Amino acid sequence: MNQSIIFTDQQSWDGNRKVVVFVGQQSGNLIECLVSAHYLENLSQLQIDDEVMALKVFSEYRFDLEDLAEELIEAEEFNQLGQIEIN
């Protein structure tokens, strides 16, 4: 694991966009990472109907999702808003 990227313990559900939002920090910069409900459904083979289920599935796969986000950050795969999207 690259120690230059650290992920906080915070995560939240954005019901409008249907994504779980979590934050990474690299060289003092905060990077918002988004993982879609669709991606979580494919990963877990469960249907994501609400915030509770989304955050539960995210927690179960957190380390894998952080590893993926780290790879995307290192590859500089940012969207136009400077976010990392896992779809």
Side-chain angles (χ1 to χ4, degrees):
M1 181 176 183
N2 183 340
Q3 292 300 314
S4 70
I5 301 172
I6 299 168
F7 291 93
T8 68
D9 290 336
Q10 298 174 330
Q11 65 273 332
S12 61
W13 171 247
D14 182 333
N16 292 330
R17 295 185 287 178
K18 298 206 182 302
V19 296
V20 172
V21 180
F22 61 108
V23 178
Q25 183 177 5
Q26 181 184 40
S27 302
N29 297 316
L30 295 180
I31 302 166
E32 192 172 64
C33 303
L34 315 171
V35 59
S36 70
H38 179 74
Y39 189 89
L40 293 173
E41 287 175 339
N42 287 339
L43 193 61
S44 67
Q45 299 299 305
L46 298 170
Q47 184 163 339
I48 307 295
D49 292 322
D50 57 25
E51 176 180 7
V52 172
M53 181 59 87
L55 294 177
K56 180 179 187 284
V57 170
F58 176 81
S59 292
E60 289 177 18
Y61 293 93
R62 176 179 201 101
F63 296 112
D64 294 330
L65 293 165
E66 287 177 354
D67 285 344
L68 180 54
E70 182 176 325
E71 290 174 18
L72 294 169
I73 291 168
E74 289 174 347
E76 298 183 6
E77 296 288 332
F78 301 100
N79 67 15
Q80 291 179 332
L81 299 175
Q83 303 164 318
I84 293 297
E85 296 181 73
I86 302 171
N87 294 311

